[in-house]
Amino acid sequence: MASIDENQAAENDEIDVVTSKQLQRVTGNPIDPFRPANLTRARPRAFERTPVELWSMIFEQYVLLDCRVAILLLVCKHWREIAEKTPRLWRRILLSADAIPPSLRAGSVHACGAIETVERIRDRAGASLLELTLVLGPNEESSPPPLARATLFKAVTHTVLHRVTFLCIIVNPRMSLKLMDESLQGVFAGSLDALESLMIASAHPIGNLYDPLENVIKMIDATSLRLRSIYLENVNRDFITKISALDLWTRACRITIRNEFDAVDATTFERCTRLEFLSFSGELAYADANYGRKIDYSNLKWFKVGLISMGTLNKLRLDMLHSLVIDCIQTDYPLPSPAPHSIVIPELKVLHLATVSPTAAAMAAPKIETVCLNIPTLKSADADSVIKELLNGAEGMLKPKHLTITAPVHDKHLLNSLRHLPDLISLQLDHQVPFSKMFFREMTPAVSLSKSRALFGRGKKTSKQPLLPKLRALVLDLHKISMDNLQLDNVKSTIRTMINSRKNSEGYDPLLRVACKWEQGQPNEEFIYPMMCLTCIETHIANEAHHSTSQFA
């Protein structure tokens, strides 16, 4: 056995000599070929030579992707030692004395159901800031008593509460107010000085949910001066009314309220003078007690609301609003609706709108760039009336560069509306009713009468001014329209003719992307390659403009 080791060592020495001579020819520096043979074998592997600080930075980025830390511990002993000594990997702690569902164990959260586990994770986190989630329930026969939950929670809240930047309280099904109150008894002691985000989420609406959480909310109100974000889910209107009366409400820059469908007065958010982001799933109303005054949302930049009337929107001051999402527009009956284009939102650039009411035409946005319009109706007549009011060519009409329409609108009214948007760059249609040849005829530059009849059949001659001369992207969703193979081939042939005609005609910008969706669940069929996304198209247009300016200069 010793002779084998000696032969192996000799062979390694010969390899070292050959390698040294090669390195000497490459580098020109003399290298001693008779260094100890075990020097090469004792050299650490490449990833072991990487500085520990660099591995820690890589692991921290890995956690930002919300990936499981446990995977890092299984790779090798070296990675395990580094991970255990990187405090920021252990900052997300979830405490639950009840059964923890797999959905809560996902990602980089460390789910702890025993005090020993809590202490181990807490020690590894060191002095880093923490993100803490407390789970209450579900209330089942195998659930522990409330005292067990409180004891588990105290392992963190009585030691490192002052380092918590994110606090989440999740209330699972079948949890009564009494059980919640007993499970949180004496849990919160000290202060939440570092708290920046608060999340309270209930699996289903619970009346008087504010009562068992009152102590922790008052602690946050008194000590959390850095609070910036509030997220509430399945809380009732009384909960919102009570929490909005506290000082913590005025510190928030971001408020999200989900699964709450009661009407809330718009003045509820007026006290939030720093508010930049507001998402509210319910109805935002304007009470008569406001006496017609404007409600100041002047710092709001992103606004999503479940239900609102144009009369209420007209009472909001939205000087800095950039993006607006309205899930449904309520009629102003019995009050009259605001006049068309009378609600001016000066900085609005993105509008997502779902409506069956033509009163949406009251909005005007001189800087609008993107409009996504959804008209959820089965009747084409209802969709036609909305389109005709929104895009009628009147002064103050919305004139976006990018337009998406999901509606069963008739071709005739759609084409009339699109004629008022000569600067449109991209158009996406989920038409829901069959396209007529008139649509593609209007999109195709002028051709001879005989060729027009060959392509589109007899009828009116193709217009000399085709629709949307600056259009660069067209996406059609036709999966809801039943077509046989012959009809499908005709549509594809017509689309290819339109693409070639626009490319070879002067005065019209060539299309950069045309795509159609024929079947649900299937990818779009692209007619132009390479496929360009909207960002690439905008970059291409900017480069074209720069090139034209340079040539002119």
Side-chain angles (χ1 to χ4, degrees):
M1 191 70 181
S3 61
I4 295 177
D5 293 339
E6 292 173 358
N7 293 336
Q8 184 65 40
E11 183 179 348
N12 289 338
D13 289 343
E14 292 177 1
I15 294 174
D16 287 341
V17 171
V18 174
T19 305
S20 301
K21 290 180 179 179
Q22 292 174 346
L23 290 173
Q24 186 172 351
R25 285 197 302 268
V26 174
T27 63
N29 299 323
I31 299 176
D32 183 11
F34 301 103
R35 65 189 185 281
N38 61 354
L39 183 61
T40 302
R41 294 193 300 275
R43 181 186 304 159
R45 289 169 291 183
F47 71 89
E48 292 178 342
R49 296 196 302 269
T50 305
V52 173
E53 295 79 6
L54 181 58
W55 279 123
S56 296
M57 294 173 61
I58 294 173
F59 290 168
E60 288 177 4
Q61 293 300 317
Y62 172 85
V63 171
L64 290 178
L65 299 176
D66 202 24
C67 300
R68 295 190 63 185
V69 177
I71 296 176
L72 300 177
L73 305 181
L74 300 176
V75 175
C76 65
K77 180 180 178 181
H78 185 63
W79 276 25
R80 183 184 184 90
E81 292 175 351
I82 297 174
E84 290 179 350
K85 295 178 181 178
T86 305
R88 287 179 58 82
L89 300 187
W90 309 95
R91 69 183 186 274
R92 295 177 178 173
I93 303 176
L94 182 144
L95 304 180
S96 176
D98 304 272
I100 304 176
S103 59
L104 293 180
R105 292 182 179 271
S108 60
V109 174
H110 302 285
C112 304
I115 294 180
E116 295 77 11
T117 307
V118 175
E119 292 175 345
R120 183 173 67 253
I121 300 299
R122 186 189 63 196
D123 293 341
R124 289 177 180 177
S128 63
L129 299 175
L130 302 177
E131 299 178 11
L132 179 62
T133 300
L134 307 181
V135 182
L136 299 171
N139 182 25
E140 299 173 341
E141 294 182 358
S142 58
S143 298
L147 180 60
R149 296 192 187 98
T151 302
L152 180 66
F153 296 160
K154 290 176 184 178
V156 172
T157 58
H158 281 200
T159 55
V160 292
L161 191 62
H162 62 282
R163 298 210 313 266
V164 173
T165 61
F166 170 80
L167 176 61
C168 174
I169 300 176
I170 298 176
V171 183
N172 278 326
R174 297 181 294 279
M175 283 297 292
S176 65
L177 296 178
K178 180 180 179 181
L179 283 176
M180 289 178 57
D181 186 60
E182 293 175 352
S183 299
L184 296 175
Q185 191 69 37
V187 168
F188 292 95
S191 64
L192 284 160
D193 298 338
L195 189 66
E196 297 178 358
S197 299
L198 172 65
M199 178 177 178
I200 299 175
S202 176
H204 56 83
I206 301 177
N208 299 321
L209 180 61
Y210 185 87
D211 295 342
L213 300 176
E214 184 175 8
N215 290 335
V216 62
I217 292 176
K218 287 186 176 180
M219 175 190 289
I220 295 171
D221 184 52
T223 64
S224 303
L225 302 180
R226 300 181 181 179
L227 186 66
R228 294 294 179 269
S229 176
I230 298 175
Y231 178 100
L232 305 174
E233 184 171 354
N234 272 327
V235 300
N236 55 22
R237 180 167 53 185
D238 292 338
F239 189 106
I240 298 173
T241 302
K242 291 178 179 179
I243 196 173
S244 64
L246 302 177
D247 291 338
L248 65 86
W249 196 252
T250 65
R251 304 170 196 149
C253 298
R254 181 185 181 100
I255 295 178
T256 302
I257 302 177
R258 293 186 60 189
N259 295 340
E260 169 56 40
F261 304 104
D262 289 336
V264 173
D265 187 62
T267 56
T268 303
F269 306 100
E270 187 179 23
R271 297 180 63 233
C272 308
T273 56
R274 303 176 182 177
L275 193 62
E276 297 182 357
F277 178 101
L278 174 59
S279 177
F280 177 53
S281 60
E283 176 189 351
L284 195 67
Y286 184 85
D288 295 336
N290 296 320
Y291 302 108
R293 69 179 182 88
K294 285 276 188 177
I295 299 177
D296 190 7
Y297 286 11
S298 57
N299 290 325
L300 197 62
K301 297 179 181 178
W302 198 98
F303 182 28
K304 179 179 180 180
V305 62
L307 179 64
I308 192 172
S309 68
M310 289 295 99
T312 299
L313 188 66
N314 191 33
K315 297 299 182 181
L316 305 181
R317 181 174 289 110
L318 302 167
D319 299 336
M320 301 296 294
L321 190 65
H322 177 276
S323 301
L324 175 61
V325 180
I326 301 177
D327 291 336
C328 185
I329 291 181
Q330 186 182 38
T331 60
D332 293 284
Y333 182 83
L335 299 176
S337 299
H341 320 304
S342 61
I343 306 176
V344 180
I345 309 177
E347 300 296 327
L348 187 65
K349 293 186 177 181
V350 179
L351 173 63
H352 288 245
L353 177 64
T355 182
V356 293
S357 173
T359 59
M363 288 184 289
K367 296 184 179 181
I368 194 71
E369 294 183 357
T370 302
V371 172
C372 297
L373 175 62
N374 180 20
I375 308 176
T377 180
L378 297 177
K379 296 182 179 180
S380 294
D382 295 338
D384 295 342
S385 64
V386 175
I387 287 289
K388 287 190 295 184
E389 288 295 325
L390 281 176
L391 304 174
N392 57 6
E395 184 178 357
M397 182 197 78
L398 298 174
K399 293 184 178 181
K401 297 180 180 178
H402 311 285
L403 177 63
T404 299
I405 299 178
T406 302
V409 62
H410 191 276
D411 276 356
K412 174 183 176 181
H413 302 290
L414 176 63
L415 292 172
N416 289 335
S417 299
L418 294 179
R419 287 190 180 95
H420 302 304
L421 302 172
D423 296 328
L424 196 67
I425 294 175
S426 70
L427 175 63
Q428 184 171 342
L429 296 175
D430 183 355
H431 206 41
Q432 302 178 2
V433 293
F435 280 91
S436 67
K437 291 184 177 181
M438 180 174 63
F439 176 81
F440 296 106
R441 180 189 296 121
E442 294 292 335
M443 295 282 290
T444 305
V447 293
S448 64
L449 179 61
S450 59
K451 190 173 182 180
S452 173
R453 289 177 175 175
L455 291 174
F456 304 110
R458 290 184 174 273
K460 293 181 65 177
K461 186 177 178 180
T462 306
S463 172
K464 293 183 179 180
Q465 292 294 332
L467 200 65
L468 309 177
K470 296 184 179 181
L471 189 70
R472 311 307 294 271
L474 176 64
V475 180
L476 304 176
D477 189 344
L478 306 177
H479 81 275
K480 298 178 183 177
I481 303 174
S482 59
M483 291 183 287
D484 56 31
N485 292 335
L486 180 59
Q487 292 173 323
L488 184 62
D489 292 339
N490 288 337
V491 172
K492 291 182 179 180
S493 176
T494 303
I495 291 175
R496 293 188 181 98
T497 300
M498 176 188 66
I499 294 172
N500 294 329
S501 298
R502 294 179 72 95
K503 180 168 60 175
N504 299 322
S505 299
E506 294 183 1
Y508 310 109
D509 295 333
L511 290 165
L512 300 177
R513 187 193 179 199
V514 176
C516 288
K517 184 174 186 177
W518 307 110
E519 296 182 15
Q520 179 69 21
Q522 298 296 323
N524 293 340
E525 179 181 354
E526 300 290 338
F527 287 82
I528 300 176
Y529 287 95
M531 187 193 77
M532 299 181 68
C533 65
L534 190 57
T535 302
C536 297
I537 290 174
E538 291 180 338
T539 303
H540 182 86
I541 294 173
N543 292 337
E544 284 182 340
H546 178 72
H547 182 68
S548 301
T549 304
S550 300
Q551 284 186 335
F552 181 78

